[in-house]
Amino acid sequence: MGVVALFLCALLASGCQSGGEARTFVGFTFGGGGHTFSCEPANWDNSDGHFQLSGGSHQDPTYLMLRGEWNGDLGVPILLEEAEIAADGQAGSSRLVGGNVIIQTRDDLITHGSFDLKTKGEDGREFVVVGSFVAKKSSP
């Protein structure tokens, strides 16, 4: 029974759906107070030593984009260079103070990872953003 439960948890964590299609998403906390957000689909692109993770699109009420340099190593913090976050119901824009992404697993099509960062709003308040993602390789 325990093995079956472990298998089901692993299947859910991998983002699998019926038909073998991967469900891609970014989920994160923003603004304190236990507010959580998610956006779909999630796309991963890396070329020339850089990466970009994007969840949703600029037209969506909840959107996330992270950029930085990446040499292909797994399991190590990657310093963020740029971040854009729109969280439904959270007013104003913010700028990146600092943060990291950790790529946990990656194959030819799907990348799994997590991130933590801090932003500073126009009013001077700082917000911690913590999340994870399952992203599909962007089409060339």
Side-chain angles (χ1 to χ4, degrees), residues 27-30 35-37 114-117 128-132:
F28 59 96
T29 62
F30 182 82
H35 297 111
T36 59
F37 301 90
S114 59
F115 55 91
D116 64 282
L117 59 111
V128 174
V129 180
V130 177
S132 62

Side-chain angles (χ1 to χ4, degrees), residues 75-86:
V76 296
I78 306 163
L79 190 63
L80 287 171
E81 296 176 344
E82 186 179 351
E84 294 178 22
I85 301 171

Side-chain angles (χ1 to χ4, degrees), residues 8-86:
L8 290 175
C9 287
L11 188 61
L12 287 173
S14 71
C16 290
Q17 291 183 329
S18 62
E21 299 244 351
R23 176 175 173 247
T24 63
F25 68 94
V26 177
F28 59 96
T29 62
F30 182 82
H35 297 111
T36 59
F37 301 90
S38 65
C39 43
E40 298 179 37
N43 292 299
W44 174 266
D45 182 39
N46 67 290
S47 58
D48 300 325
H50 290 82
F51 77 88
Q52 177 171 312
L53 167 68
S54 56
S57 70
H58 283 98
Q59 296 80 23
D60 295 334
T62 300
Y63 168 78
L64 179 130
M65 185 282 304
L66 305 175
R67 284 192 187 122
E69 289 186 27
W70 184 48
N71 65 6
D73 289 343
L74 300 177
V76 296
I78 306 163
L79 190 63
L80 287 171
E81 296 176 344
E82 186 179 351
E84 294 178 22
I85 301 171

